[in-house]
Amino acid sequence: MNDVLNAAHARRPIRELPDELVSQIAAGEVVERPASVVRELVDNALDAGASQVTVKLEAGGVRRIVVEDDGIGIAPDELPLALKRHATSKIASLVELEQVSTMGFRGEALAAIASVAEVSIASRTADAAHAMRIDARSGELNPAARAVGTSIEVRELFFATPARRKFLKTDATELAHCVEAVRRHALVRPDVGFAVWHEGKLVEQWRSAGGLDDEAAYESRARAVLGEDFVAASRAVSIVAGPMRIRGRAGLPDAARSRADTQYVYVNGRFVRDKLIAHGVRSAYEDVLHGGRQPVYLLHIEIAPERVDVNVHPTKIEVRFRDGREVHQAVRRAVEAALALPRHGGDVAPASAQAAPTFAPAGHAAAPGVAPTWGPQSPLGLSTPRFDVNEPPGPWRFAGPLDTPATPASLPLAEAAPATIAAEADDWPLGRALAQLGGAYVLAENRHGLVIVDMHAAHERIVYERLKASLGAARIESQPLLIPATFAATPTEVATAEAQADALARLGLDIAPLSPGVLAIRARPAALAAGDVVELARSVLAELGRYDASGAIERAQHEILATMACHGAVRANRQLTHVEMNALLRDMEATERADQCNHGRPTWRQVTLKELDTLFLRGR
Ligand code: ADP
Ligand code: MG
């Protein structure tokens, strides 16, 4: 102990650190675990223009990592340089540094890795007769066999630094981190094929999904990498805001997780972890997500290179923006706009609206004695405190100032209603959702006052119109079930299913006998993805049984659709999120005849501010 202290205090001459030690110190910043090596090597492969990248791992990458690519390769005389510190082919001047578009540019990754592991590189350029391999430790060059491209092998990570090796977790954990590193690349490069092998077994494989300008390619890659569930439970994000473009997907509040493990943000194609962006996203969810829940999202931010500095961190995972506030706001609006979209709507770029209070405008003359036209009951039991306790109104502030504190739930209504209701909300005929009442009604605010929506009736109407429209286009679009739903059927049901297979197909249903007395549902209408599929099948079979001559079925079609719509519509007493309520309102606006349900009942009513004033005997 004393020796250590004495050594620390004893005067020693100043010396330049040996190169090897400099690299090892630098490696501490770049190479934390096998996944860091994977990230750097895949970066290099992509910078080399690879169209296929294969990662092979042993013991979670601790024993061995090989990354193979079909990129441009390294010329034999440059192989020793590739391993030198601050040697790079990517930038040659400060001007280039400011415009850098490659993943790497600091020229230190390979040197750092080679200082803490056994490294060899085999590479071949297009004009070379064969490949050459260099061993990093000995510097020896030998001919090797491989096609054009590069293979980099990294063995025994931290072999010489046992203290660092001790910090590594189990192989399974290190493997998971390595796969995550590849996943981060894969999400932003749908044009490149990726494969990950562990101990000779294929762990993940994503084939090239199309060009980089092809939005569908990104979506199909997201589907492959993050799963069908992620895409199904998220909305498309797409806005252009000043010098920025933001695309991707934002998860619905229901898809939020307890861990922040499905949050992918890319700035100019580079995966980043940025507090400012994370906060911007988070604030878009502030009214719809409970404290501890973590939203899921995948955002690609493109911004003029001179407005962002990527050279602030050795692993380039952090960036610095010239105007952070501008980025924060754009991210927040992009996500808010995505969440407020109707489910089947297109993408809307939100206008940057200035705050315009629509609540309680002055100048509403009192009209004492005029009974409200919206119904027999008086104030609907709509007392202010009930409004306030759980759901402070004003969830959709598109243009709120950056530092608006979250609205405390205890504020009285008048103060809680933000003065920053954006112009978009103003333009929505049915307004923006405020709350759900009695499990059956959605309350919304528009420029005229209060909108009350019967949520089941409204949704039924939307589903019905959607079904009708798709039946008009020959047949209802159907969606296969991943796992067929089976149910015990009566002989009549089985007979109807067999006799009416064509009619069922037209209705978007695939129902066929599986065994005596059991029917299997293999597909259902895409528009009815939410309801109970067995219940739906049963009532459609019952309807078809009633009209079994095919002409009658044609004529009874709309009744059958109405039955189906009723099954697909949201049930009363289901708690809707703000996002769902707003989506319902937008869907209603987009649907023909949305003001009447299939049974002829109204789906919504307007209560004007004037009527409210009258109710409260408020003279002006
Ligand atoms: P940087 O990527 O910052 O330039 P690296 O240490 O990661 O630094 O790589 C050093 C150089 O080696 C690169 O600039 C590049 O010229 C070359 N290189 C590394 N990996 C590959 C590869 N897979 N294909 C072609 N060239 C490569
Ligand atoms: Mg690199």
Side-chain angles (χ1 to χ4, degrees), residues 430-509:
L430 295 177
R432 70 198 170 98
L434 298 174
Q436 196 176 346
L437 183 73
Y441 298 101
V442 169
L443 306 180
E445 172 194 2
N446 67 3
R447 61 166 81 230
H448 306 295
L450 181 66
V451 172
I452 305 168
V453 175
D454 176 337
M455 74 189 203
H456 175 76
H459 194 227
E460 198 178 328
R461 184 82 222 175
I462 290 162
V463 175
Y464 174 74
E465 290 297 338
R466 210 171 272 157
L467 289 173
K468 222 168 68 180
S470 60
L471 192 59
R475 61 172 57 212
I476 290 173
E477 192 199 331
S478 85
Q479 186 179 59
L481 295 177
L482 286 180
I483 302 162
T486 58
F487 64 100
T490 64
T492 318
E493 284 171 336
V494 175
T496 309
E498 283 189 293
Q500 302 293 350
D502 285 347
L504 286 169
R506 263 173 59 72
L507 294 170
L509 280 158

Side-chain angles (χ1 to χ4, degrees), residues 40-41 43-44 47 90 103-110 316:
E40 293 293 340
L41 298 186
D43 267 357
N44 283 346
D47 283 345
K90 295 165 195 174
M103 303 303 288
F105 54 80
R106 298 165 62 116
E108 48 189 24
L110 289 182
K316 298 152 253 142

Side-chain angles (χ1 to χ4, degrees), residues 523-582:
R524 63 154 137 205
L528 299 183
D532 178 340
V533 69
V534 172
E535 240 182 76
L536 170 72
R538 281 226 154 99
S539 42
V540 171
L541 287 172
E543 293 269 356
L544 288 177
R546 285 205 288 148
Y547 312 104
D548 60 356
S550 66
I553 288 174
E554 292 297 320
R555 268 172 274 126
Q557 218 165 63
H558 288 177
E559 271 174 76
I560 297 170
L561 294 188
T563 304
M564 293 170 73
C566 187
H567 279 284
V570 281
R571 301 275 141 201
N573 290 322
R574 182 148 106 53
Q575 200 60 45
L576 299 187
T577 64
H578 268 102
V579 174
E580 289 176 308
M581 291 191 261
N582 276 298

Side-chain angles (χ1 to χ4, degrees), residues 264-277:
Y264 296 90
V265 176
Y266 298 85
V267 172
N268 293 348
R270 195 183 292 279
F271 178 88
V272 300
R273 282 238 174 271
D274 184 79
K275 287 209 179 72
L276 185 90
I277 296 173

Side-chain angles (χ1 to χ4, degrees), residues 21 81 108 126 163 170 181 185 218 228 249 291 329 332 346 384 480 525:
L21 191 51
L81 276 175
E108 48 189 24
T170 62
H185 283 102
Y218 288 89
E228 190 65 47
R249 301 199 69 85
Q329 230 160 28
R332 173 180 175 157
T384 311

